[in-house]
Amino acid sequence: MSPLDDLKTAIKSRLGELDCVIGWEQGYDQLHATPLFIRSEADLDRLVIGPLAVHNLATYLPGLRGKKVGIIVKGCDSRSVIQLLNENLITRDDLVVFGLCCSGVVSHRKIRAALPVDPGFVEAVDLSTDTLSITASGQTTILHMADIAADKCQICQYPNALIADVLVGSPQESKVLTTLACQEEFEAKSEAEKFAFWQETMSRCIRCYACRNACPMCVCRDFCISTSRDPLWLGQENTPGENMMFQLIHVSHLTGRCTECGECERACPVDIPLLLLRRYMNKQVQDVFEHRAGTALEQTPPLLTFKVEEEGIKERGW
Amino acid sequence: MSPQNIRELRIVGFLCNWCSYGGADTAGVGRFVQPTDLRIIRVPCSGRIDPLFIVRAFMNGADGVLVSGCHPRDCHYAEGNFYARRRLEMLKRFLPITGIDNRRFEYTWVSASEGQRWQHVVTEFTRGIHTLGPAPSFNPVSETEWNKLAVQASEGQGCPCHG
Amino acid sequence: MRIGVFICHCGSNIAGTVDCPKVAAKALTYPDVVFSTDTMYACSEPGQDGIIAAVKEQQLDGVVVASCTPRMHEQTFRRAVERAGLNRYMFEMANIREHVSWIGKIMEDNTIKAQELVRMAVEKLRRNRPLIPKRFETVKRVLVIGGGVAGIQAALDCADGGQEVVLIEREQSIGGKMAKLDKTFPTVDCSSCVLGPKMVDIAQHPKITLYACAEVESVGGYVGNFHITIRRKATYVDWNVCNGCGLCLEKCPSHKHPDPFNENLCTAPSINIPFPQAIPKKAAINPQSCLKLTQGKCGICATVCPLKCIDYEQKDELVDVDVGAVIVATGYDLFDWHKYPQYGQGRYPDIITSMQYERLLSASGPTGGQIKRPSDGKEPKNIVFIQCVGSRDRSVDRPYCSGFCCMYTAKQAILTKDHLPDSQSFVFYMDIRSPGKLYDEFTRRAMEEYGAHYVRGRVSMIYPQDDKLLVRGADTLAGTQVEVQADLVVLAVGAEAAAGAAQLGEKLRVCPDQYGFFVESHPKLKPVETNTAGVYLAGACQGPKDIPASVSQGSAAAAKVLGLLSKKELESDPAVARVNQPRCVGCGKCIQTCPFGAIKEVADRFGNPKAEVIDTVCQGCGICTVTCPQGAIQLEHFTDNQILAEVQALCPPKIFANYE
Amino acid sequence: MKYITKKNLLRLTEELSSVYRVLAPVAQGGTVTFRRFHPGMTLDMHSRMAAVSAKMATLPQTESLLLVQRVEENKKPELTETLPQGKTLVMGARPCDARGKLLLDPVFITEKIRDQHFIHRRENSIFITLACDQPETTCFCHSVGSGPADTAGSDILLTLVGEGYVAQAISDQGQEIVTHSFFEDAQDRGQQAQAKHGHALELMGQAHDYSSAPAKILERFDDMDFWEVQSAKCISCGACTYMCPTCYCFNITDNDLGLTSQRIRTWDNCMSHTFTLEASGHNPRPTKAHRLKNRVGHKFSYYPDLYGGIMACCGCGRCIKQCPTGVDIRQIVNAAQEYAQ
């Protein structure tokens, strides 16, 4: 039996006790998946998994608090589930986790970049282990998975769900690579260059808050300080400065909590590389506190605790 | 706001009421002369200082931000500066990726009795900020700069894999 | 809103380097400012009257005073605006003295800075709101920690003032350091004759409950309502029954361990009553040396005790008490002189501390009041006293003066002459510090009437020569080296913070200073208060002190407590954190980080978890406000919007007429 | 019919940018957005449909309405109304962008309310539109009364033929522009353009009939179970509304900055909790189901009810294509239309 069949069998046996199970189905074309809320066995037929099932479904969990739900998670998504549990934002007893052993998902942005014209009219998609072939507007292009895998998959350390009531598929190896060349290249730029980059990048942000609402750790949702008057942290005006301020609020609130699932960047309709900020902050957290969010139950986010002597912090002497 | 004295740069200080604000008072009582750039905001505890206040100051054009609290273990509220230390250290380490020079931000500990230390910290920090000069404005300040931004954007400069 | 601004000249303190009228004029252009003036002394009576009159005439609903530091006069002006009929929190201060006029030289820069600080205060005030304190009742009981002379005085004064007192003492008996002293300066009266009756009063006072061999385990609650857990350490003797007859002491076969009460000059039995006047006069077993407890054999004391009160199975006991106030009187420890290499670091038995010398002088001491040197029991002839051992010395991190060593050294020189008329005392000193009533006369008597030879200088080295000690030092007045052949050397060791003070401070949330002494609320105006409401300091735990000063502080702390508890109700500071419950997502991060346990989880009417602040426990630090990502918990008077308004006032955002 | 080469179109755009505030599709960081065009920049008309519509030409994301300034010598604050200035030209809009613009008119220009800011921009903007030759899976303009070569709202319609564009002047202003020497006669390229238009429409397939939608959606108004299922995967962000050519809801905010204050108008977003949050703390649309119901309902039921049956949707499909979770407004309307007990 394929992992998908295993998964369907497992869900079928638990569906009765659950309000719904969150998975994926095909979206508006064969290239795009979309979240699926499985409420009946009939819904189960539409379930898909694989490299096109890109969404981190953990994002939905805090909003479903109080209901008994099942969720299908990839390795990276499972970190978000753990982090939410650690922060007391969801209840383990109300949750059934169907874990996947994931070999990576695609980046639609990279697919777009690999094609001469936006694949707006997709006629057929064919997936193999290593390739993705797309027929759009009468032309067929074969893309190699390695070239179009999401950034996070290229350095994935947690391909298999870290928390699961049911784990399907055969466990995958973590990647050897732990840093991305593009990240390092960006970090190596001068401060003035980075400043200019964010200025111009933030000038196309439309502050739609897709990055925030797609983020599984943005649990304030309706009560985010960026849209409130009291406290009033952010102006409504759409300027690069206020847009950047919002991103800095987002990163600041994610300090030690970000599971690097990449949903923010994926959700961004104007393709702002938000993970540049996240990965850098996560690296600092790792360096100072030896902490990686959502990799173990019972972790305390580092900003919610302290040590009297901080080995990782070297303060400036005057 | 009145046109600012051009000799001065905009430096914002966040000081806890119990130690550092008192230390600044002690420096005053001792008539320890300091540069006048710094403007101090009094907060009850360094644990009250949201790193985002500092970010906000920078986004609004501050040239430097100085935070000072009680020495570790001496917090009036026992633990406030321990939390502050973690938060502020993360901000300091994070700033470079945003393109804000993190030498523009420092945090330190000054007790209510350390008037001289306060004078030293303010003098040194202010000197450092003057060496760095005025901070660039994130929002373009003129039509020309807006235009420059648009042209820059179309040139796709920036992130190597996303540019 | 109608805001009034008052720019204080503070005589020439501010006006000397700040153009006050210009600052006042500028303030009139600030939003909501309807009245602005400069004033000579805002804090003076006419100054305050001016503020009150302006509030009434101009119908102000907020006041900004730009003057000295708010740490000086914020309370003064808050009371003034209250008298004018405003809420005390509708007031802000701009510090243009300590932070402007006193540290900047250039008038123009100072004036601009003062204007901006005023503007910042105005922006903050525009976002202030009246805050009303909550009222709560107090427990009419006091906890006194430490049974030295300061604690004894405080306990007796509180009890005499009608409050119930719980006095706890770490050692087996109260009395503290003073109980070990022979005589006291400057009257040279017998220490135990002075202290003894007070100790008895403690034992007999109907309002005082004494727990010896006890320590504070934990502290909860807040001013007026502290919940204290006391750990009563096992003494292995049922103190309800023991009558202190002392039979067990005589029969105890294990009496080889040093006697701490006698500064280890002699040994003590493993079951002991430290000294004859001990209060409570009860025996206790030392579990480190008792044969029964360490090896399981012996048990003689249990056999001989006529009241059968020995209990080898006794365990520590926890006692809970609720009190309205706490007086900390935990005293001091003596500096460990072994840090100094020049004094032999313990190789020479005839170099002793001043406290050991007190025990030698004491009639109830190990020698029965005979001065005999430890090495051979001979009476010494030449006795060298070295002052400032662990005082005024940066090299051992004790730069402060311990204050009482000059006096007790003079006293010991006088007593030495009384005990041994043929003896000669030499005193090596740095300066003589004797600023007390009859103090300087007393030191002069030591020199002039008792012939003590005072040498101004430090001792560089002591080494043995035959059965004597050669003390080599400098005489800085004569500019020569001096050498004294001493039979006995007495080190006037300084005071340092008591062991365990830091841990106790943490429990009580009282800060220690850099040397470990507890910090008072204000060095001049609030010498016995701490920054934790309801916790007071008495005696040397706050800094080195002699007996009169300790007793005065004990009484002073008692007066403060009596004042506090005489109020039927107390008001809590309303500048505490408050939860905007609809915004709260119930994640509990604030509960996790609050150092005071001041936030609890409650359920809203839909059963969703929400945070709620316990007003009286909240200390107003604001850690929670930063922890809460959705800003649902805001520290009143220091809300995000108030601080952001200050930031925006200093760093105004750029406004665009066109955003396209 | 006129014709202009790609190269000349760029030159034309450069020239126009000295007279107009030109908004044009520009590639940046892997995406294409409408941005202020300056000489030296390159146009990206074809690689993909601009992520955000050209709505900002007539309804900018942020606009200043009033400025309040305190001048030092004068205690009384000065109040200035900040009306828009100048003319705007949109280069490379799609027919759906131009069509979307028209749907805002009945809202901002009524008998009672005449929004001066909107009217100024509306009257001073020119749309040079590019006909679509390749519809996308998410496109459904032909189902809402438009089409890949719809001329409504445009001043000039360009159609890609060879290495240039056939230019059809629609308005007088468009006519004036095509008289420029960069334009040549289209000759038989006009027919080729026509053929392309027909082909594109053919590719779009059968149009969907939305005529029953207004009534059917209203029938589901109180059926929150229906809306909860439909909105399950919605994450309640504002991407759909901000990218939409026809979403016109705005917010007015006073930025009290003490010495200088400003009243601004910004795009608002009905997917946001604060959109309907009342001062009391009560929110009539507390969940994403309520909010998505409003968005779909407004576009396919309430608006057509108010304005003569026209859907408040131009079928550009941006909300579907760029929704982070793939919420498809067509499916929701279909579900309401086909709803059976």
Side-chain angles (χ1 to χ4, degrees), chain A residues 29 118-124 135-138, chain D residues 134-138 203-204:
Chain A
D29 66 16
D118 207 21
F121 197 81
V122 174
E123 287 140 29
T135 310
S137 316
Chain D
Q134 173 65 64
E136 302 193 6
T137 320
T138 47
L203 279 173
M204 294 191 76

Side-chain angles (χ1 to χ4, degrees), chain C residues 7 19-30 36-37 115, chain D residues 72:
Chain C
I7 314 294
D19 187 342
C20 295
K22 201 170 168 188
V23 176
K26 176 85 186 202
L28 272 177
T29 67
Y30 300 158
S36 178
T37 184
Q115 286 170 342
Chain D
E72 198 162 334

Side-chain angles (χ1 to χ4, degrees), chain C residues 340-361:
Chain C
Y340 284 110
Q342 60 265 47
Y343 304 140
Q345 290 174 317
R347 288 193 298 279
Y348 317 126
D350 292 335
I351 299 180
I352 62 172
T353 67
S354 46
M355 190 56 99
Q356 289 176 319
Y357 195 60
E358 286 291 338
R359 295 313 300 153
L360 292 181
L361 292 168

